[in-house]
Amino acid sequence: MRRLTGKILTLLIATGLAVAGYGVLSHRPRRPPPTVAPAAHESPSAFSQAAHATPSGALSADDWMKRILETLERRLTISCRVLQRVRLDDEELDGVGFYLQKGIGKQRRTRWEVQSQDADGVASYVQVLKDGRYLWTDRSRDGRRTVSRIDLNWLRTLLYSQTPEEQAGMRVAPELALIMARGGLSQLIAELSDQMHFQLAVADSSTTAEYLTIVGSWKPDALARLWPEARDGQATHWPSQLPWQVTLQVGRNDFFPHVIEYYKGKVEAATGQGGGVIADGTLARFEFFEVDFARAVDDRHFNYAAGETQWADETTAAIRRLRKSDPEQVAVTERFMQRVAPR
């Protein structure tokens, strides 16, 4: 189960949140300040089945996701702390870290770092976009270290030199493909948009609430790409550690995803208790707090060296992940999802 969990969360959460299965640091994580933490009545667990209508005149969920990505792309700087809590079977695993972002376009630099600890020792995840060209991902656990790199300049060349036939086989345009390989929060939001259908979940009809929650459900083609058993018709049940839905609690004014949660069942069936406590329906919760869009970020934070560790190049693999799925495999996956959907 742990191996399955690590595989699924690494694929699904894709960037900095791939540290989900790395261990426990503390059972009493520091809570976000009131200005960041969502109000209790806006917790995804509070939503009723009737709370999915888009308010008249409001942005649609897809529009919100686009605005979130556009705003992240325009931010000159972002600095925040990160809390993560993940449920693996009956065990709750906590970790802490930070996220930093500086520059836009080709000048973008990011650093996403999380550490955790369990009985087997300290684990860490570091992802650094060092100079706008190389995205480094460095994972350490149980004394083992793996390092990978994506060369964004080479990826850009590969994307823009494709034949028309090759371009037709891609799910997204080259500009978005680069974002989905560049790391950081922008990649996370872009990949969620690629993997999920979204709708608004409104716990309070008032548009003055500080946070809005968006609910995402799998697209069959995304699940077909990530889960071979489903696309090959071999799956008979939904794995207990595979999320069925995801929610994002987004600031209405800053368009920033302050909380992201993954649920094993439908959001309406979740019994979350708020305050960051993992409830029966929650598999993972990630909080971004002490968020600052004006703080100066020192360039030294983006230094990185793999040292003597042998690293793997994943540039061409990044393109393969962005190709379209086989229609027959998608149809098989869709039928399976309909059969095992939570009631």
Side-chain angles (χ1 to χ4, degrees):
M1 182 60 70
R2 284 183 178 273
R3 183 167 61 181
L4 175 64
T5 299
K7 178 181 179 181
I8 289 174
L9 288 180
T10 297
L11 289 170
L12 173 64
I13 310 176
T15 55
L17 302 186
V19 295
Y22 277 176
V24 60
L25 177 68
S26 166
H27 289 285
R28 295 187 301 275
R30 177 175 173 177
R31 304 300 310 145
T35 56
V36 174
H41 68 271
E42 290 183 316
S43 169
S45 59
F47 303 137
S48 65
Q49 192 167 12
H52 290 283
T54 302
S56 177
L59 293 175
S60 69
D62 288 336
D63 289 336
W64 270 92
M65 294 299 292
K66 291 177 183 177
R67 288 287 295 274
I68 294 168
L69 180 58
E70 290 170 356
T71 304
L72 287 170
E73 284 295 279
R74 290 197 301 266
R75 295 287 187 192
L76 294 176
T77 63
I78 299 175
S79 64
C80 64
R81 296 182 64 191
V82 181
L83 292 177
Q84 67 174 35
R85 174 167 286 185
V86 178
R87 169 167 284 180
L88 302 179
D89 298 326
D90 296 327
E91 186 179 6
E92 292 179 1
L93 310 176
D94 295 352
V96 297
F98 62 88
Y99 176 77
L100 300 173
Q101 176 177 307
K102 185 175 184 178
I104 59 175
K106 294 182 180 180
Q107 304 303 315
R108 170 63 53 82
R109 285 157 288 173
T110 59
R111 187 180 188 98
W112 195 324
E113 186 167 338
V114 178
Q115 290 189 343
S116 55
Q117 182 174 347
D118 61 12
D120 296 323
V122 176
S124 68
Y125 176 96
V126 180
Q127 185 196 74
V128 181
L129 179 58
K130 181 178 179 180
D131 49 14
R133 176 176 180 178
Y134 295 117
L135 176 70
W136 292 93
T137 303
D138 189 328
R139 300 177 178 89
S140 297
R141 185 184 183 188
D142 299 338
R144 297 187 300 271
R145 183 184 179 199
T146 59
V147 180
S148 62
R149 191 189 78 173
I150 294 177
D151 185 335
L152 294 174
N153 283 0
W154 178 233
L155 179 62
R156 188 176 292 106
T157 298
L158 293 174
L159 288 169
Y160 284 99
S161 63
Q162 294 183 110
T163 66
E165 182 180 2
E166 291 171 335
Q167 291 178 354
M170 301 291 289
R171 299 195 310 276
V172 297
E175 296 82 359
L176 186 56
L178 285 167
I179 292 176
M180 292 172 65
R182 197 181 59 189
L185 279 170
S186 289
Q187 179 179 345
L188 173 60
I189 296 302
E191 292 204 345
L192 283 175
S193 296
D194 182 55
Q195 296 165 348
M196 302 277 182
H197 293 293
F198 287 94
Q199 60 186 13
L200 300 180
V202 185
D204 184 348
S205 60
S206 171
T207 58
T208 61
E210 186 176 359
Y211 295 90
L212 178 81
T213 300
I214 303 172
V215 180
S217 303
W218 282 102
K219 295 177 181 178
D221 63 324
L223 192 62
R225 293 191 302 271
L226 299 181
W227 189 14
E229 288 83 356
R231 73 177 183 224
D232 296 338
Q234 299 175 358
T236 58
H237 65 281
W238 193 267
S240 61
Q241 294 300 137
L242 176 62
W244 182 263
Q245 289 186 314
V246 60
T247 64
L248 296 86
Q249 293 186 2
V250 182
R252 288 182 180 270
N253 296 321
D254 61 15
F255 291 93
F256 189 82
H258 292 275
V259 179
I260 301 176
E261 291 190 85
Y262 295 83
Y263 289 87
K264 65 181 180 182
K266 290 185 178 181
V267 167
E268 296 85 0
T271 57
Q273 304 169 27
V277 177
I278 295 295
D280 290 342
T282 308
L283 289 175
R285 179 181 175 92
F286 302 93
E287 302 183 38
F288 305 89
F289 65 104
E290 295 181 7
V291 181
D292 195 328
F293 303 125
R295 176 186 173 188
V297 179
D298 194 312
D299 289 342
R300 289 175 294 183
H301 286 298
F302 307 107
N303 290 337
Y304 175 82
E308 297 181 358
T309 301
Q310 186 174 4
W311 51 269
D313 187 274
E314 296 187 351
T315 305
T316 54
I319 289 188
R320 288 197 297 269
R321 289 195 296 268
L322 296 172
R323 296 205 176 277
K324 293 179 180 178
S325 303
D326 182 276
E328 292 185 7
Q329 294 177 337
V330 173
V332 172
T333 306
E334 188 168 14
R335 289 194 295 271
F336 168 75
M337 293 176 66
Q338 293 173 351
R339 188 172 71 251
V340 302
R343 303 301 179 187

